[in-house]
Amino acid sequence: QVQLVESGGGLVQPGGSLRLSCAASGSIFSIYAMGWYRQAPGKQRDLVAHITSGYITNYADSVKGRFTISRDNAKNAVYLQMNSLKLEDTAVYYCNAHRGVFEYWGQGTQVTVSS
C-alpha cells in the first residue's frame, strides 16, 4: 500500500506562485509513476502533470510552460511548482501514484487563485 499526503495549497493572486508537495509512505516509491490531478467545482478530475519512474514528464496543455512536476525519490516526495497562476487554476489538487494495476490517491489540497 501507498499513502499519499498533499500540502502547500492556499490562496494566491493571479500571477502568483505556489509549490505543492506530496509525501508518500508505505511502499517502494521509486518504482511508481506519479501524477498531479485537479478538480474544480462541477468539473471532472483532470490530469495536470505526470512523471514516470524514469523522470519523463508530461503536462496538460493548459499548464504547459507554467507548471513543473519533479520528484525526489530519496525523500519519497513529488512536487508541483505552479507559476503565473490564473483564475482557472483554482481547484482541489490531488496526488496520484500508479504502477501496473495499482493506483493510489491523496486527500487533496485546495488551491484558490483570486484577486
Side-chain angles (χ1 to χ4, degrees):
Q1 295 293 110
V2 175
Q3 293 83 48
L4 305 172
V5 180
E6 302 97 333
S7 62
L11 175 64
V12 297
Q13 292 184 315
S17 297
L18 282 175
R19 191 191 195 205
L20 305 184
S21 298
C22 174
S25 64
S27 190
I28 301 174
F29 179 80
S30 63
I31 69 172
Y32 286 88
M34 304 294 299
W36 286 97
Y37 291 71
R38 67 186 181 187
Q39 187 169 24
K43 304 291 183 64
Q44 67 179 5
R45 186 176 297 186
D46 293 326
L47 177 67
V48 175
H50 179 264
I51 185 167
T52 71
S53 60
Y55 297 90
I56 304 299
T57 60
N58 293 100
Y59 299 90
D61 288 341
S62 59
V63 307
K64 193 172 184 179
R66 300 188 296 121
F67 291 10
T68 302
I69 188 171
S70 61
R71 67 190 299 161
D72 186 339
N73 291 343
K75 296 181 179 179
N76 281 13
V78 176
Y79 308 98
L80 185 68
Q81 179 66 48
M82 305 186 294
N83 298 326
S84 302
L85 283 161
K86 303 175 179 180
L87 297 179
E88 53 263 42
D89 294 320
T90 296
V92 177
Y93 284 70
Y94 296 90
C95 182
N96 168 271
H98 64 98
R99 174 71 174 179
V101 301
F102 301 102
E103 187 173 55
Y104 306 94
W105 293 92
Q107 83 290 344
T109 185
Q110 177 71 49
V111 172
T112 302
V113 184
S114 177
S115 61

